[in-house]
Each structure stands twice: as C-alpha cells, then as structure tokens.
Amino acid sequence: MSIAAGESVRLDVHPETPQARLVERAAQRINRDGLALCPTDAGYALVWSLNGTGAEERVRRLRQLDSRHPFTLFCRSISDASRFARLDDPAFRLLRRLSPGPVTFILPASGQLPNRLKQGARSKRRDIGIRIPEHPVAQALLEACGDVLLSTTLRSPDMDADEAPFLGNEADEVADLWLHAVDVMLDAGHCAPGPTSIIDCTLPAPDVVRQGFQPVDLA
C-alpha cells in the first residue's frame, strides 16, 4: 500500500474503559474529514464521518473500490439506525435481539441517507448495511462524534477474498499494514476477529446470507 495520509497518530486506549480525552482526540480528527482505525467486536475497521467525503475517497483509493461499493453505517442505537433505514416489525425485533453485536443488517434505505450512498447500494432496491457494534471503544467513539459513522473492513486489493475478513484483529498487525494510511488509530490491543454475520432484511423474510465468526440463529 502506498497511499499516505500525512501524520498518523496511534492512541493506546483501554479496551473496556477507554480514556475520554483520547477518544475525543480521535473524534475531532474524524469530524474534520479524517480517517480512523477503530476496534470493534469483529476486528478493526476503517471509520469516517457520514459527511467525510474526502476520507471516503481515500478509502476508495486505498482499497481500489469503485463508486458502487457499499459501506456500512455504524450506529449507537436502533434509534440511530431508524433514521437511515426503514425498519419493519421483523427487522426491528431482530435488531433489538441481536444488537449490539457482530451482526450487519441489510435494510431498505430511508430518505435521510445521502444520495451518494444510495447510489452505491447493493441492489436497485437502495439498501444500506447497518451495524451497532458492541465494543466499548467503538461505542465511545460514536458517542464522541455525536452521529453515525461509515465503515468498511480491512481488506487490501492483494488480500485473498476468503482470508481477508479474518485478519485485522491484532493491533500491531493492523498498525503495520494500515496506520500510515489513516489519521488516527484507537489501539485497544487484541479484539474479536471477524467477519460479522449478515442478515438480509430486504427479502420477504429475513435471511442469514453469511454466518460470521459468531454465528446467529434466527429461530
């Protein structure tokens, strides 16, 4: 990888009780169109502001993604999710039962989702991936930023498609590969590996289209 983003800051935070001042430093970088590495309950992830179009373009260049590649929204709560996605009763019940946690829900997009993200939807139905992460650092960062964040997994163009989702949960390895390309990393040490499970709630009945490192049961 050869894309640099200027000076990168690595902040050591406690994995369960992250220091507020350090999380706030990361939030300030993100809210200035910055790009961050954040630990989650399914590995580290690249995260940026919903309005961070500059950071988003850096992600597309870094991962060599086209304009239609879908990203995932990190939300603090179901209330946040309902702003950007339409939740029918089955979807609401699933989010309430399985969130927060390492589960991504594919949901119909609402009118509040920016048009650029609707254009990158997984289908013509204009859907969006929604996730409410359980990791304390991810939740603290969302609170400090005061809004949802966009995210994507750590997968470089030369990584094997089957292997890549399981990488990115060891902080030192993540820093070696990705720190130079972001503005800030919240280093909480080792975190649970990915990938997330994916539940498609745009189908006639919700269906698990990918079982993650921690499988889910819809029954």
Side-chain angles (χ1 to χ4, degrees):
M1 302 175 202
S2 60
I3 298 174
E7 182 182 359
S8 302
V9 178
R10 186 175 178 178
L11 304 174
D12 292 325
V13 295
H14 194 281
E16 297 179 0
T17 56
Q19 302 90 320
R21 61 181 178 83
L22 298 181
V23 175
E24 181 60 31
R25 281 183 64 185
Q28 289 175 359
R29 298 291 287 266
I30 290 172
N31 287 337
R32 294 197 300 265
D33 202 7
L35 181 61
L37 286 164
C38 178
T40 80
D41 47 0
Y44 281 78
L46 291 166
V47 297
W48 62 101
S49 166
L50 185 64
N51 298 318
T53 53
E56 188 171 307
E57 181 55 33
R58 286 165 57 190
V59 170
R60 293 192 187 277
R61 295 198 308 270
L62 181 65
R63 288 200 46 202
Q64 298 182 19
L65 304 173
D66 62 35
S67 61
R68 293 190 59 81
H69 183 86
F71 297 120
T72 298
L73 276 182
F74 274 9
C75 299
R76 294 168 292 184
S77 63
I78 294 177
S79 177
D80 270 354
S82 66
R83 290 166 51 206
F84 300 99
R86 299 197 305 275
L87 304 180
D88 59 14
D89 288 342
F92 178 84
R93 288 193 294 269
L94 281 173
L95 260 75
R96 188 172 59 181
R97 179 162 67 89
L98 299 174
S99 294
V103 182
T104 301
F105 300 87
I106 302 176
L107 296 158
S110 76
Q112 292 193 49
L113 191 71
N115 285 332
R116 77 177 195 280
L117 298 176
K118 293 178 183 177
Q119 292 167 357
R122 295 167 175 80
S123 72
K124 292 182 180 179
R125 294 172 294 189
R126 296 194 171 185
D127 46 42
I128 184 67
I130 295 284
R131 185 149 105 77
I132 304 175
E134 189 173 19
H135 198 288
V137 177
Q139 279 288 340
L141 183 61
L142 284 163
E143 288 293 340
C145 288
D147 204 350
V148 300
L149 294 173
L150 284 163
S151 70
T152 193
T153 55
L154 300 182
R155 176 185 291 168
S156 66
D158 56 349
M159 283 181 175
D160 181 84
D162 294 326
E163 178 186 13
F166 296 93
L167 301 177
N169 64 308
E170 296 288 350
D172 286 341
E173 293 179 1
V174 168
D176 287 345
L177 288 171
W178 298 93
L179 182 61
H180 73 280
V182 303
D183 299 297
V184 60
M185 174 181 179
L186 287 171
D187 180 352
H190 172 87
C191 60
T196 63
S197 295
I198 298 178
I199 301 175
D200 191 341
C201 297
T202 68
L203 302 172
D207 186 42
V208 178
V209 296
R210 182 180 76 189
Q211 286 286 11
F213 182 77
Q214 299 181 42
V216 296
D217 184 0
L218 301 187

